[in-house]
Amino acid sequence: MSSFFTVPALQRKRKLIDEKNTSSSKKRNTNFSISSKPQKAAPAARVKRDESISGSESEGNTQPRRASGGDDSHFSSESDIEDETGAERRLRLAERYLENLKGEVDEIGFDAEEIDRDLIAERLKDDVAESKGRLYRHIASDLAFDAASKTHFRSDTLTTTSIATCPPYVFTVSKDLTFIKWELMTPATHPPPSKSKKFKKPPRPIPCRPRQIVFTKGNKNKTNDLTYNHHTGPILAVAVSSSGRFVATGGADKRLIIWSASDLKPLRVFTQHRDAVTGLAFRRGTEQLYSSSKDRTIKTWSLNELAYVETLFGHQDEVSDVAALSQERCISVGARDRTARLWKVAEETQLVFRGGGGGGEKSKKLPIAKAGELQMSKATHMEGSIDRVAMVDEEMFITGSDNGGISLWTLQKKKPLFTIPLAHGLDPPLTPEEASAEEIPDPKVPGPPLPRWITALATVPYSDLIVSGSWDGWIRVWKISGDKRRIESLGVVGRIENAYGAVGDGEVGIGDEEDSVRGVVNGISAFQRGERGKDGLCIVVAVGKEHRLGRWKTFRGKNGAVVFEVPKKTLESSEAGVGKSANLDE
């Protein structure tokens, strides 16, 4: 058996020498691969080898000489490819890919289905972001409110108390138990201007009167008939689901009725509320309904099953309004308990936001009803009742009060971030005869002028636009600032305010026949026209001679509704606006 000790010495020496040689060659190879000097010498060795090969070919003459022409260009292109850098190679491959793609498109054509699929995917991403409250659009500055057109439409009814829209349909309710479905017409536009004539501001859309589709009316004599599937008292609120399947109405008869939106046939009558139903709101994208009532409760309903779900308690006074967006939560206002409450339905919790402040500057020039007169408001008008609420997004909302203030709130703070005081101005003071019951009243003025309540409030969800109404004769628009901490005025719909904050010739509350909204505004609904609002904004307003909840005052006006079509600003008008603001700053 051979081993180290049995092998002859000569063989052992030869083996050791071979091992040393192999180890040294490995070291040389590794050093050659690591060091940089041999890499520089490699091209020279390659050149010598090529020369030797060419020399051997020329000596032997065994191979024929290459013909001139295409083969030379081929070899020259290969040499260029060897010498190009990494960036040049990527550029060459990209150009080749584009050429191939262009050839395929020319042969086959565009894949319209794939393009539509990409557009739908992009739209779905936007919808998901909007549903989660992550999409916030700045649209207020792009609309030309002074160029809005106005169309009044009505039926032979009493005061219109509420309004709801599901484009292209509008639903109105009134105090005489009528419930009407209308169809909005697409506003006709003016022909495009010629090259020689350009509009400084966008032309007003041509008014188109809405068309009545379905009319239904209740009967107040059926109060004791439990099988009667209609209202027996004034209808105070209406709401339509985002799918357009259901319409809900609530009235002073304590009834909540669910209707089929297509033909206004009653589907179910709910009588769980113990007092008048004052507000309704659908959760966006679902058939979940929230209702507020004077019985101090909010109730939730599932219209897929046409069933009652639960009751939310907490308010200390009647609940005057309720609002909701995409998440399973709603916000309500409790009138004279001066609170707004956010109800997290799934968690069964609530957040309480307390108002009650005066809100605003103590000295500000404010117009009163008589032309040319201005009133210095030195006393702060305290908030007595929060009557209206609307949600901006999932984290912010606004409220309107009886002291004329519009407040901006966020869920991270229990007090309002900002308040616009006396948003719709002041009423003139009462005359001595109106304020006194004596035969010979005191000729002194009985007191300061009173603020106009915020009777209607609306937003375009997930945007910076706010619309408000009262009985001053105008629909006013507001903008949330870029930092989401202030509310800025954008004027009125149909007319630009002057430097004193008055409208037109200074007569607030009277207005002219062309642009005013006569009466008290009981409801507002706003939505964008076209794909992502490319065709402007539509504002539909419910107007009446009386307030929707009572007959404290009778206003001069007409019962019915008004449609405002607001176009988008043109490039010329936006540039003119920028120049005007720059001149004012100077």
Side-chain angles (χ1 to χ4, degrees):
M1 190 173 182
S2 63
S3 66
F4 178 79
F5 299 99
T6 59
V7 175
L10 183 60
Q11 294 182 5
R12 290 200 303 269
K13 290 181 180 180
R14 190 174 296 169
K15 187 176 182 180
L16 292 172
I17 290 170
D18 293 338
E19 290 177 356
K20 290 180 180 179
N21 292 333
T22 55
S23 63
S24 62
S25 65
K26 288 181 180 179
K27 291 181 180 180
R28 284 196 300 272
N29 291 334
T30 55
N31 293 334
F32 177 76
S33 63
I34 296 173
S35 62
S36 59
K37 292 181 179 179
Q39 291 181 356
K40 294 182 179 178
R46 186 183 302 169
V47 170
K48 290 180 181 179
R49 186 180 61 187
D50 293 339
E51 290 177 356
S52 63
I53 293 172
S54 62
S56 62
E57 290 177 353
S58 61
E59 291 175 0
N61 291 328
T62 57
Q63 301 248 352
R65 182 178 293 180
R66 292 194 306 267
S68 62
D71 294 337
D72 292 337
S73 63
H74 175 70
F75 282 103
S76 63
S77 63
E78 286 184 352
S79 62
D80 293 340
I81 291 174
E82 289 180 358
D83 296 338
E84 69 180 355
T85 61
E88 292 174 348
R89 182 173 180 274
R90 288 191 294 269
L91 178 61
R92 177 174 57 82
L93 294 176
E95 291 176 350
R96 182 184 299 175
Y97 172 76
L98 291 176
E99 290 177 359
N100 296 335
L101 185 62
K102 184 178 179 181
E104 292 178 1
V105 169
D106 292 338
E107 293 177 2
I108 303 174
F110 288 102
D111 189 358
E113 184 178 356
E114 185 176 355
I115 295 174
D116 292 341
R117 193 181 301 113
D118 294 339
L119 293 175
I120 292 172
E122 188 70 22
R123 178 64 181 271
L124 288 175
K125 289 181 182 178
D126 293 343
D127 291 342
V128 170
E130 183 174 341
S131 64
K132 294 182 178 179
R134 298 174 182 172
L135 185 66
Y136 189 84
R137 292 170 291 148
H138 299 273
I139 64 173
S141 300
D142 298 333
L143 297 170
F145 293 101
D146 57 329
S149 66
K150 185 189 84 170
T151 305
H152 189 278
F153 64 99
R154 63 184 294 270
S155 183
D156 190 11
T157 63
L158 295 182
T159 297
T160 305
T161 56
S162 184
I163 198 164
T165 58
C166 181
Y169 301 109
V170 177
F171 302 88
T172 59
V173 292
S174 60
K175 285 188 175 182
D176 59 353
L177 288 67
T178 58
F179 181 24
I180 306 175
K181 179 181 179 180
W182 309 78
E183 182 181 6
L184 287 174
M185 302 299 173
T186 303
T189 56
H190 294 270
S194 60
K195 295 182 179 179
S196 60
K197 182 180 179 181
K198 291 185 178 180
F199 294 127
K200 292 184 179 180
K201 62 179 182 180
R204 296 190 178 190
I206 301 174
C208 296
R209 191 178 300 277
R211 179 171 61 91
Q212 181 176 314
I213 298 178
V214 184
F215 177 94
T216 180
K217 186 175 183 179
N219 189 349
K220 62 181 180 180
N221 297 323
K222 300 283 187 178
T223 303
N224 298 324
D225 187 358
L226 300 179
T227 62
Y228 183 63
N229 294 330
H230 211 297
H231 285 283
T232 59
I235 308 175
L236 304 179
V238 62
V240 58
S241 63
S242 56
S243 64
R245 291 177 56 197
F246 302 104
V247 182
T249 58
D253 55 358
K254 311 176 188 178
R255 293 190 176 196
L256 171 63
I257 303 180
I258 309 302
W259 310 77
S260 173
S262 59
D263 52 6
L264 296 190
K265 289 185 178 180
L267 302 177
R268 186 72 183 272
V269 178
F270 295 105
T271 58
Q272 277 83 349
H273 277 294
R274 298 183 178 180
D275 208 334
V277 179
T278 57
L280 296 169
F282 274 94
R283 181 184 168 195
R284 285 168 62 96
T286 68
E287 310 299 344
Q288 186 174 359
L289 176 68
Y290 303 99
S291 63
S292 62
S293 173
K294 289 186 177 181
D295 61 4
R296 306 182 184 182
T297 65
I298 296 98
K299 295 185 185 294
T300 62
W301 317 82
S302 177
L303 299 193
N304 287 325
E305 294 82 14
L306 293 176
Y308 159 78
V309 179
E310 64 176 326
T311 301
L312 307 175
F313 297 93
H315 279 289
Q316 303 303 311
D317 194 23
E318 61 184 50
V319 186
S320 57
D321 200 7
V322 64
L325 283 180
S326 299
Q327 296 186 11
E328 195 174 358
R329 57 176 62 174
C330 65
I331 291 182
S332 59
V333 288
R336 295 200 174 273
D337 70 357
R338 292 176 292 182
T339 64
R341 295 175 185 255
L342 172 70
W343 306 88
K344 298 181 179 180
V345 179
E347 294 87 350
E348 297 183 352
T349 59
Q350 59 175 297
L351 297 178
V352 183
F353 304 89
R354 300 193 180 276
E361 300 90 357
K362 291 187 178 181
S363 62
K364 183 180 179 181
K365 286 187 176 182
L366 295 165
I368 58 177
K370 294 183 180 180
E373 294 186 9
L374 295 174
Q375 175 73 25
M376 295 294 293
S377 176
K378 298 183 179 180
T380 301
H381 297 275
M382 300 304 294
E383 187 176 58
S385 173
I386 304 179
D387 299 326
R388 285 298 196 175
V389 65
M391 295 188 71
V392 178
D393 54 27
E394 302 294 351
E395 300 294 327
M396 302 181 70
F397 64 97
I398 54 173
T399 58
S401 307
D402 64 346
N403 66 342
I406 299 176
S407 299
L408 177 67
W409 304 74
T410 179
L411 301 188
Q412 283 73 36
K413 193 175 180 181
K414 296 301 182 69
K415 289 290 183 179
L417 290 176
F418 187 79
T419 299
I420 291 285
L422 302 173
H424 285 259
L426 296 167
D427 267 339
L430 298 175
T431 62
E433 290 77 10
E434 294 174 340
S436 176
E438 298 179 0
E439 294 182 358
I440 303 176
D442 189 356
K444 295 182 180 179
V445 178
L450 299 177
R452 299 187 179 101
W453 312 341
I454 304 300
T455 58
L457 203 58
T459 63
V460 177
Y462 306 107
S463 74
D464 60 345
L465 182 64
I466 303 172
V467 188
S468 65
S470 185
W471 59 79
D472 61 337
W474 302 96
I475 302 299
R476 298 184 179 269
V477 286
W478 314 86
K479 171 187 173 183
I480 299 176
S481 61
D483 57 359
K484 299 183 181 181
R485 300 189 64 87
R486 295 178 61 85
I487 300 176
E488 302 170 357
S489 175
L490 293 178
V492 299
V493 180
R495 183 67 66 87
I496 301 176
E497 291 186 338
N498 58 29
Y500 296 100
V503 182
D505 55 0
E507 292 192 68
V508 176
I510 298 177
D512 55 20
E513 188 66 29
E514 181 182 357
D515 291 324
S516 63
V517 178
R518 295 178 176 271
V520 58
V521 178
N522 286 319
I524 299 175
S525 181
F527 63 92
Q528 291 181 285
R529 289 278 195 182
E531 182 72 18
R532 296 291 176 184
K534 66 178 181 180
D535 297 331
L537 182 75
C538 180
I539 302 175
V540 190
V541 180
V543 185
K545 295 181 180 180
E546 303 169 352
H547 191 274
R548 70 186 187 105
L549 297 179
R551 302 184 66 183
W552 305 288
K553 278 188 175 183
T554 300
F555 302 92
R556 181 167 56 91
K558 294 181 179 180
N559 299 322
V562 181
V563 179
F564 291 96
E565 295 290 349
V566 183
K568 296 197 72 173
K569 289 181 178 179
T570 59
L571 182 61
E572 291 81 2
S573 64
S574 61
E575 290 176 353
V578 171
K580 184 177 181 180
S581 62
N583 293 332
L584 289 175
D585 293 337
E586 292 176 0

